[in-house]
Amino acid sequence: MKTRREFLRSTVLGASTLWTVPGFIDRTMAGLNDEAQANADTQTKTGRDAPILVILQLAGGNDGLNTVVPHASSNYHRARPDIRVTENQVLKLDDELGLH
């Protein structure tokens, strides 16, 4: 059984915790929001200044030779007659390689 003193001590401690936690959370969320807004502004300005290259790697059926295609190689076309990517289907990186 708790004494009255222990009960009051735990009640006051609990009440002070309830009083300070919402303010702490509010200040933390406001700080995080300000930081995210500053980063978003910076990213937006950076994105407007220069082109952005986005590369997606899909796990599973991604085949390296059908991602970066050696379109000028006759060996590639002979080895993959059914699944090859033809020269007019690639985005040419140079005279030998292209992206599917």
Side-chain angles (χ1 to χ4, degrees), residues 15-34:
S16 66
T17 302
L18 291 175
W19 178 68
T20 58
V21 168
F24 170 76
I25 291 173
D26 187 44
R27 287 189 304 276
T28 302
M29 290 302 171
L32 289 174
N33 187 37
D34 293 343

Side-chain angles (χ1 to χ4, degrees), residues 40 53 59 68 82:
L53 173 65
V68 180
D82 297 330

Side-chain angles (χ1 to χ4, degrees), residues 29-85:
M29 290 302 171
L32 289 174
N33 187 37
D34 293 343
E35 183 179 341
Q37 187 63 38
N39 290 339
D41 291 343
T42 302
Q43 183 61 37
T44 302
K45 291 175 187 170
T46 302
R48 291 183 191 148
D49 295 342
I52 298 173
L53 173 65
V54 178
I55 298 174
L56 299 176
Q57 178 179 350
L58 304 175
N62 188 20
D63 179 5
L65 284 178
N66 278 347
T67 302
V68 180
V69 180
H71 61 82
S73 171
S74 60
N75 291 334
Y76 167 76
H77 293 287
R78 267 196 314 277
R80 296 174 169 237
D82 297 330
I83 61 171
R84 70 178 180 221
V85 180

